Amino acid sequence: MRIATWNINGIKARHDLLVDWLRSEQPDACVLQELKSQDHTFPREAIEDAGYTLETHGQKSFNGVALLARGPIEDVVRGLPDPEGAGPEGADDEQARWIEGTVFGEDGGALRLCGLYLPNGNPAPGPKYDYKLRWMSRLEARTRALLEDETAFALAGDFNTIPERRDADRPDAWTEDALHLPATRAAWRRLVGLGLHDATREVSEADGVYTFWDYQGGAWDKNDGIRIDHILFSPQAADRLAAARVQHEMRGREKPSDHVPVWATLDL
């Protein structure tokens, strides 16, 4: 099973690019972030014509996540559970940042695929950063529940987290940013420390592996990037990891997203 995650940065702006990518790359399943579209206005037809089942959790002008698969998607859940009830963001988090469902390989092997768009958190400190850390705590709780079920699952998406200094071309430029503050990195370590496996790092420990380049300042031409898009596997899924890669060349396409797809292949 070949899966991918991609922050598309506006489905309407990059709809044709997405369809071309689906037809050429043919992932078995993928998750998308930052749709910036409500469910009823999402341009579904061309994606379905390309052979994909589609489930969305959208929001007008902001956020939004989607699951796509060449086969069925079962037991879909929209919205990250809040086991402690109402937090600062309210009991029903209105920000569309989480979707999960079960997808299947050609041989019938199943994977619980969780697509996420973790809050940016800037400016920090402040309420937006408090929301980010609260969201990461909820993510940890959901991950613990999935681990207790001993199912094969993946957390895939834009984590808005730079885990280590080597994950930024200019790490000192990010020391005061919500993506790389000590509390953010500590929350990341707690999450991964539950027993998850970072697909990209399972395959390569190389420096200079980035998934995002800003539109400003010639970041792409300078390779001034950061690695914030990740696929984390449960032990049951990581045991079957066959390959992983970052599709850097997509950043050089016409009217690209500022993020690129991250891939992983499982032998299910």
Side-chain angles (χ1 to χ4, degrees):
M1 176 187 287
R2 298 170 63 246
I3 69 170
T5 177
W6 191 8
N7 180 322
I8 198 71
N9 191 11
I11 184 63
K12 294 175 183 177
R14 269 161 281 282
H15 176 259
D16 291 344
L17 180 64
L18 172 63
V19 172
D20 288 346
W21 178 77
L22 289 171
R23 290 188 180 279
S24 63
E25 300 294 336
Q26 298 186 352
D28 295 302
C30 70
V31 296
L32 304 175
Q33 304 88 46
E34 210 169 350
L35 306 179
K36 301 180 182 179
S37 172
Q38 295 174 289
D39 293 340
H40 70 275
T41 62
F42 190 95
R44 308 175 61 94
E45 186 174 350
I47 293 172
E48 292 173 340
D49 288 347
Y52 285 87
T53 304
L54 173 67
E55 297 285 350
T56 62
H57 180 35
Q59 181 179 344
K60 185 178 181 179
S61 303
F62 298 99
N63 305 323
V65 286
L67 289 177
L68 287 72
R70 298 187 69 83
I73 304 174
E74 297 185 355
D75 301 321
V76 176
V77 173
R78 293 170 173 83
L80 184 62
D82 188 351
E84 297 181 11
E89 68 280 2
D92 296 319
D93 190 351
E94 294 181 356
Q95 297 195 24
R97 295 183 175 275
W98 176 271
I99 189 168
E100 63 177 89
T102 301
V103 297
F104 301 89
E106 292 184 357
D107 61 354
L111 178 73
R112 189 70 178 168
L113 184 56
C114 306
L116 63 96
Y117 179 37
L118 204 146
N120 177 286
N122 284 302
K128 290 186 177 181
Y129 191 58
D130 294 341
Y131 175 59
K132 180 190 187 91
L133 293 181
R134 171 72 182 131
W135 208 95
M136 294 183 83
S137 177
R138 293 163 57 198
L139 174 59
E140 181 181 342
R142 179 60 184 146
T143 301
R144 289 181 182 275
L146 288 165
L147 286 167
E148 289 176 1
D149 288 341
E150 297 187 355
T151 188
F153 70 86
L155 309 180
D158 177 357
F159 282 73
N160 268 315
T161 298
I162 305 170
E164 302 176 81
R165 287 180 59 84
R166 62 176 171 164
D167 295 314
D169 181 60
R170 294 181 299 117
D172 290 340
W174 296 91
T175 55
E176 301 300 321
D177 194 281
L179 278 63
H180 195 53
L181 284 173
T184 304
R185 289 182 281 121
W188 168 270
R189 289 193 298 271
R190 286 194 299 272
L191 180 66
V192 176
L194 296 176
L196 304 184
H197 298 258
D198 181 342
T200 300
R201 288 304 181 202
E202 289 288 313
V203 172
S204 174
E205 293 289 345
D207 296 340
V209 179
Y210 309 131
T211 66
F212 169 92
W213 297 260
D214 197 279
Y215 290 127
Q216 306 299 319
W220 169 242
D221 293 332
K222 299 174 185 176
N223 197 28
D224 181 10
I226 55 177
R227 189 175 78 97
I228 57 175
D229 302 87
H230 311 292
I231 301 176
L232 301 181
F233 285 119
S234 68
Q236 294 82 358
D239 285 346
R240 303 186 179 195
L241 179 64
R245 67 186 177 103
V246 176
Q247 197 175 359
H248 300 90
E249 68 272 14
M250 291 298 295
R251 185 61 175 80
R253 295 283 294 273
E254 185 177 357
K255 296 182 180 179
S257 171
D258 44 6
H259 298 250
V260 296
V262 177
W263 288 82
T265 301
L266 296 175
D267 181 9
L268 289 181

